[in-house]
Amino acid sequence: MTSKKLVNSVAGCADDALAGLVACNPNLQLLQGHRVALRSDLDSLKGQVALLSGGGSGHEPAHAGFIGKGMLTGVIAGAVFTSPAVGSILAAIRAVAQAGTVGTLLIVKNYTGDRLNFGLAREQARAEGIPVEMVVIGDDSAFTVLKKAGRRGLCGTVLIHKVAGALAEAGVGLEEITDRVSEVAKAMGTLGLSLSSCSVPGSKPTFELSADEVELGLGIHGEAGVRRIKMATADEIVELMLDHMTSSSNMSHVPVQSGSSVVLMVNNLGGLSFLELGIIADAAVRSLEGRGVKIARALVGTFMSALEMPGISLTLLLVDEPLLKLIDAETTASAWPNVAKVLVTGRKRCRAAPAKPLEAPDSTAAGGAASKQMVLVLERVCATLLGLEGHLNALDRAAGDGDCGSTHSCAARAIQGWLKEGPPPASPAQLLSKLSLLLLEKMGGSSGALYGLFLTAAAQPLKAKTDLPAWSAAMDAGLEAMQKYGKAAPGDRTMLDSLWAAGQELQAWKSPGANLQILTKAVKVEKMRLTWAPRPASECMGQGWVWQE
């Protein structure tokens, strides 16, 4: 079955994609009549070496995303997974030459079509008197025995763009840039792994994998890898990849050993989630540092994709300080990440958690009469909740997931366990604060958060006074917090309704001569509210949380 793609047409998708990039980037221009993107400030490059690269489309952001000061001068794009036309490559060479550049370096990934077409364009340009050199990048570390065609060009090519761009920006000549990037390419390797295939627009997936298989060492067009392995954890996958890339028995290995300094690239092949990419990056850093390898820089993102392929590639480049300065050099290329110019290895990655603020001393001794009374109240509340577990679950099944009783029983057991550890604070403010933290940690779900909000807010008015008006103010503060963050209002038939009714009765505590009898009336009103039938969850959408009592 042909895969779905958001394109206007299969035939025009490569042109449309390049046009979209240029339309949104004032630093780029299209070369009329060709699928070529160039720097819009081309005329400012007189006396410099021009850098051209390219290949088939479908590897975005490579290569056009790396056009800019300090990287590529221009890119020639083919159709999806197809080498660009010789005529377009030659037109790009002529365009940069006519702008006054002193020579052109073609940076080409090692694929037969790219070598042939860029090579032919180079020969034609040289016949016209234009100085042109070409470097073919093969950084694939998959094959243990080298094939006649050599190593495939993969994501490491982007690092070559960066090094060559920094050299060209510094005014280095064509021959020297060619020699230096050729040496850099020898100290680099890339290995890919995919969870499944990609599909060219208008076509079926390029290959099939079983649900429990992954492909190790595949190319960026879906070419076969070295083997298929069983699905494993991210740590195990990364360990296997790094073992393969650095093994001396592998003819295409990167000679990385303990004490080596490297640039690490963790590349998304197109369809991997950012969550997975972060997990892979963490595993790669831990594995390399565990081997004694120093990570100078780590680049994580999508640099050279294979359409929507869910997979990754890891690139290792051996670096010294001079090479690192070229990697760090400024560039305006939109797809190059803003990498901090500091060593990854050896950096402190964790900040100590802030100390908890000191609590005000409890003016009433713990274990005193007030503290003992609070224990009795809390034990009664807990026993009541535990006894109602089944009933509350049954009520909740009519409107929700049927776990209300279980959730409140969990909270009750947590409070009982806490009381066994020692007498609670006698200060009402400290007691409510402690209960808030306990419910947030042990109760969980929206109920834990809501009760935590209520108790945290209610504790504040009780810090200054603990008379009846202060308790009424505490109730008001708790209800206000629940409404503010829970987004329910009185009458929405949520857990707020019964508390709100009780709060209204407690307003009488703010009047002179009020007594505790008002509390009895408030409890009765709350019980009446709790007899209401719960509202179906489907009717409560967008109104906060469903009634749970």
Side-chain angles (χ1 to χ4, degrees):
M1 179 179 178
T2 302
S3 63
K4 293 186 288 187
K5 293 283 192 295
L6 283 172
V7 299
N8 296 315
S9 69
V10 171
C13 63
D15 294 287
D16 292 347
L18 192 61
L21 178 67
V22 172
C24 298
N25 191 335
N27 296 322
L28 303 182
Q29 288 181 324
L30 291 172
L31 187 61
Q32 187 175 6
H34 299 278
R35 199 182 292 128
V36 173
L38 297 166
R39 285 175 57 173
S40 57
D41 62 346
L42 202 60
D43 294 331
S44 69
L45 302 182
K46 291 179 181 179
Q48 288 189 21
V49 172
L51 305 174
L52 297 177
S53 188
S57 298
H59 304 302
E60 291 74 17
H63 294 273
F66 301 107
I67 299 174
K69 183 178 180 180
M71 286 194 81
L72 296 177
T73 310
V75 160
I76 309 94
V80 175
F81 291 177
T82 303
S83 299
V86 174
S88 291
I89 301 170
L90 183 59
I93 296 172
R94 288 170 177 163
V96 296
Q98 291 170 14
T101 58
V102 294
T104 300
L105 176 62
L106 304 178
I107 302 173
V108 182
K109 299 189 301 299
N110 188 25
Y111 292 98
T112 302
D114 288 353
R115 288 198 317 270
L116 290 173
N117 289 8
F118 276 90
L120 180 54
R122 177 201 177 206
E123 294 302 321
Q124 291 179 349
R126 287 165 66 97
E128 296 175 8
I130 303 173
V132 183
E133 296 294 340
M134 185 169 98
V135 291
V136 178
I137 307 302
D139 57 313
D140 188 5
S141 290
F143 296 101
T144 56
V145 178
L146 293 182
K147 296 185 176 182
K148 185 176 181 179
R151 301 164 68 185
R152 295 176 294 201
L154 301 175
C155 188
T157 308
V158 175
L159 292 175
I160 299 301
H161 295 338
K162 186 67 183 63
V163 172
L167 291 170
E169 194 65 33
V172 177
L174 176 60
E175 185 176 348
E176 184 178 349
I177 294 175
T178 304
D179 291 342
R180 290 181 67 173
V181 298
S182 297
E183 286 302 310
V184 170
K186 295 176 184 177
M188 177 175 66
T190 299
L191 185 65
L193 178 136
S194 180
L195 307 180
S196 63
S197 176
C198 62
S199 55
V200 173
S203 301
K204 296 179 180 180
T206 53
F207 62 88
E208 298 288 340
L209 278 174
S210 299
D212 62 343
E213 284 184 325
V214 296
E215 182 98 5
L216 178 69
L218 78 171
I220 53 173
H221 310 98
E223 305 98 325
V226 289
R227 58 190 168 114
R228 293 184 175 183
I229 59 176
K230 292 296 182 181
M231 188 66 189
T233 67
D235 282 356
E236 291 167 338
I237 290 290
V238 168
E239 198 72 20
L240 175 66
M241 292 178 72
L242 292 175
D243 283 345
H244 188 92
M245 294 175 69
T246 60
S247 172
S248 58
S249 63
N250 178 358
M251 292 299 291
S252 59
H253 76 285
V254 192
V256 171
Q257 54 191 350
S258 180
S260 295
S261 181
V262 301
V263 168
L264 164 69
M265 288 186 81
V266 181
N267 175 55
N268 186 353
L269 287 175
L272 207 67
S273 69
F274 283 102
L275 183 141
E276 294 164 284
L277 197 63
I279 294 170
I280 293 293
D282 176 61
V285 169
R286 285 188 285 106
S287 180
L288 286 169
E289 291 181 341
R291 301 163 187 248
V293 177
K294 300 173 184 177
I295 304 173
R297 301 288 185 271
L299 289 70
V300 182
T302 305
F303 305 102
M304 185 176 289
S305 65
L307 291 169
E308 80 283 22
M309 183 179 288
I312 56 158
S313 66
L314 299 179
T315 299
L316 297 177
L317 170 65
L318 288 162
V319 292
D320 54 18
E321 281 302 316
L323 180 53
L324 202 54
K325 288 182 179 179
L326 297 175
I327 296 291
D328 286 342
E330 295 297 324
T331 179
T332 61
S334 60
W336 183 259
N338 183 20
V339 181
K341 300 172 184 178
V342 294
L343 296 177
V344 172
T345 297
R347 183 178 63 86
K348 187 176 181 181
R349 294 175 189 151
C350 189
R351 179 184 293 273
K356 294 181 180 180
L358 294 175
E359 293 183 352
D362 194 344
S363 58
T364 307
S371 179
K372 291 177 180 179
Q373 186 67 27
M374 288 181 180
V375 170
L376 293 175
V377 172
L378 288 172
E379 286 179 341
R380 178 70 178 273
V381 170
C382 291
T384 302
L385 287 173
L386 289 169
L388 290 172
E389 179 177 355
H391 180 60
L392 291 174
N393 281 339
L395 287 174
D396 191 34
R397 278 193 290 272
D401 50 11
D403 67 347
C404 178
S406 301
T407 302
H408 285 76
S409 292
C410 180
R413 293 188 186 94
I415 293 172
Q416 287 177 332
W418 176 61
L419 292 174
K420 290 178 182 179
E421 295 174 2
S427 161
Q430 290 186 18
L431 176 69
L432 296 188
S433 295
K434 292 285 188 182
L435 287 172
S436 170
L437 294 174
L438 186 67
L439 295 183
L440 285 170
E441 180 182 353
K442 302 294 186 180
M443 192 175 188
S446 59
S447 295
L450 288 165
Y451 286 128
L453 277 168
F454 177 84
L455 293 169
T456 299
Q460 306 314 307
L462 297 173
K463 289 181 177 180
K465 295 182 179 180
T466 57
D467 55 10
L468 294 182
W471 278 100
S472 179
M475 188 73 168
D476 291 344
L479 292 169
E480 183 181 351
M482 292 180 80
Q483 292 181 84
K484 179 178 180 180
Y485 296 102
K487 295 300 181 184
D492 285 347
R493 297 176 76 174
T494 69
M495 62 188 292
L496 177 69
D497 284 359
S498 56
L499 292 171
W500 178 265
Q504 293 304 297
E505 294 298 326
L506 294 184
Q507 294 298 313
W509 272 354
K510 296 176 181 178
S511 303
N515 56 54
L516 288 173
Q517 294 301 316
I518 294 169
L519 184 60
T520 303
K521 184 178 179 183
V523 171
K524 288 181 179 179
V525 171
E526 186 171 9
K527 286 183 176 179
M528 291 175 64
R529 288 278 183 175
L530 289 174
T531 62
W532 290 9
R535 189 177 184 181
S538 60
E539 297 179 20
C540 298
M541 298 300 291
Q543 297 183 8
W545 13 271
V546 178
W547 183 89
Q548 295 184 6
E549 272 66 29

